[in-house]
Amino acid sequence: GIRLVAVRTLYPSAFFNMRFAGLAWFSLIALPAVLWQILARRAGVVHCRYYYATFVALLAAKLTFGRVKVVFDVRTLLPEQGLVNGFWKPGGLTFRSWKAVERWMVKKARRTVTVSPAMPESLRPAHPTASLGNSNLAPAKRPSPGKGRAGGGRASPRRRPARGAHPHPNPP
């Protein structure tokens, strides 16, 4: 009973050095388009890859008075990535500001998913009550060696979901 619609938007995905003036400008120009997409498609859940998309989607969701749930898909830890790339300093204003935005997004998102099992554990100390998990929400059940599935035979390899189908039977 879930209709899945993929919508591409013009989000910067890897500009790890975006400062807050850039985030404010980006949010200002992107918010009307994102809100229109949510309303026009009657979205109930918005899945966002990365910080910038999640930030704008959470602002748009607030304007729907809580009707829309946002899933924050963390691809990399942006504040730490800025440190690694040398764009900002540990303990600096930009780093601390991004950490504050990250805390707000994890708190407000209905679910936060990550690309690796280690990432939720690195986020958990700062977000003990958040719904955190790996993006593999429905792990494959593997038969014990030599037993196969019901009816005998080998377990079939995991297949990609059909185009437009949700890859998990029970999405957040």
Side-chain angles (χ1 to χ4, degrees):
I2 295 176
R3 193 185 97 192
L4 181 65
V5 178
V7 177
R8 293 215 176 261
T9 54
L10 300 175
Y11 288 118
S13 62
F15 299 131
F16 298 120
N17 61 343
M18 184 183 279
R19 303 287 194 247
F20 279 93
L23 181 64
W25 175 248
F26 168 72
S27 300
L28 182 66
I29 61 174
L31 183 59
V34 171
L35 184 60
W36 180 82
Q37 290 284 345
I38 289 171
L39 297 174
R41 297 177 186 278
R42 297 186 188 116
V45 176
V46 177
H47 171 255
C48 301
R49 286 184 161 182
Y50 208 52
Y51 287 68
Y52 310 131
T54 303
F55 185 81
V56 175
L58 284 168
L59 294 176
K62 196 170 186 119
L63 295 174
T64 68
F65 304 102
R67 182 180 67 79
V68 174
K69 296 167 183 63
V70 175
V71 176
F72 177 18
D73 188 345
V74 180
R75 295 288 154 154
T76 185
L77 300 172
L78 183 137
E80 287 76 9
Q81 189 67 40
L83 293 176
V84 170
N85 290 343
F87 292 129
W88 42 75
K89 296 178 178 144
L93 179 62
T94 304
F95 176 75
R96 286 179 307 166
S97 299
W98 272 115
K99 290 305 277 185
V101 168
E102 179 184 77
R103 281 189 302 274
W104 177 77
M105 292 190 306
V106 170
K107 180 180 176 184
K108 294 297 182 184
R110 176 64 177 246
R111 176 112 169 123
T112 299
V113 295
T114 64
V115 295
S116 76
M119 239 185 235
E121 298 315 312
S122 68
L123 288 168
R124 197 166 312 284
H127 314 285
T129 61
S131 177
L132 296 167
N134 191 326
S135 59
N136 186 6
L137 300 175
K141 291 186 178 179
R142 308 241 183 243
S144 52
K147 295 207 175 185
R149 295 191 185 245
R154 288 178 19 149
S156 61
R158 223 172 151 179
R159 292 191 182 102
R160 262 187 104 112
R163 187 168 177 86
H166 198 285
H168 309 296
N170 299 313

